[in-house]
Amino acid sequence: MTKSFCLFLTLTFTCISLFAQEGFKIGAHAGMPLGEYNDYVSVVIGADVGYMWAPNKAFDLGIKAGIIHGFAETFTGQNVTVDYPSVQFLPLAASVRLWPSKTFSIGGDIGNAFGLNEGNDGGLYYRPQIGFQVGPKSELNFSYTGITINDSTWSTVTMGFVYTFLSARHFR
């Protein structure tokens, strides 16, 4: 079963003939917090929308906005329960993707993440990622998210899925 699945993924990745994907993108991702926020947040989910321009087949440049939500942990002791607050951000960023092959991209986002919950001022947002096309309009990606908040860094690792509504220019 595992060998069949790996063979299927390999054939899928090698048979897709698209490079860059210009158009409107919508995506979702989920993952785990790292570092000091791992004690306060259990799971992270997010969603993104944006637009990517493809000046050529090996390079995309775009803009992106999204939402990130970290679900708070609750700790219960003998006679004490501690409820930490959930953590939310609204990132606004510029995006770049390089396509060294037809099915593989590397790139990232950089911008500002605005804190949405009380006491969260947000900060510098950066998200390097690698992506693998799994269809003519879809991508599976893996990323690290960092948000610099005062003297600390919000860090997560996530896996996401992105769907592209290809622009009319793509079909010319």
Side-chain angles (χ1 to χ4, degrees):
M1 178 72 174
T2 304
K3 287 182 182 180
S4 298
F5 182 71
C6 289
L7 179 61
F8 170 75
L9 286 179
T10 302
L11 289 174
T12 300
F13 290 149
T14 57
C15 293
I16 298 170
S17 63
L18 295 177
F19 277 88
Q21 293 187 333
E22 181 172 315
F24 177 74
K25 295 183 178 283
I26 186 165
H29 53 92
M32 304 288 293
L34 302 172
E36 64 188 87
Y37 285 94
N38 190 30
D39 294 336
Y40 309 109
V41 175
S42 58
V43 175
V44 176
I45 62 169
D48 300 304
V49 295
Y51 193 89
M52 297 294 274
W53 292 270
N56 60 49
K57 289 186 176 189
F59 177 71
D60 292 349
L61 185 62
I63 55 174
K64 184 188 286 188
I67 185 87
I68 298 171
H69 182 89
F71 290 93
E73 289 274 11
T74 300
F75 292 101
T76 304
Q78 284 180 293
N79 294 326
V80 153
T81 299
V82 177
D83 286 322
Y84 290 108
S86 293
V87 180
Q88 297 96 23
F89 296 100
L90 175 77
L92 299 174
S95 296
V96 66
R97 300 290 179 276
L98 301 173
W99 292 85
S101 76
K102 295 178 182 181
T103 59
F104 174 72
S105 71
I106 57 173
D109 307 333
I110 189 161
N112 193 54
F114 299 94
L116 300 179
N117 56 302
E118 188 176 325
N120 179 358
D121 295 331
L124 175 68
Y125 167 80
Y126 51 96
R127 185 176 171 204
Q129 56 190 284
I130 60 171
F132 303 93
Q133 275 190 301
V134 292
K137 299 178 189 175
S138 56
E139 173 185 306
L140 183 65
N141 62 44
F142 301 93
S143 64
Y144 167 86
T145 301
I147 302 172
T148 304
I149 307 166
N150 300 325
D151 294 331
S152 64
T153 300
W154 164 273
S155 310
T156 62
V157 289
T158 58
M159 183 173 85
F161 181 80
V162 177
Y163 185 83
T164 302
F165 298 91
L166 297 174
S167 71
R169 192 178 106 155
H170 177 81
F171 297 105
R172 293 183 195 158

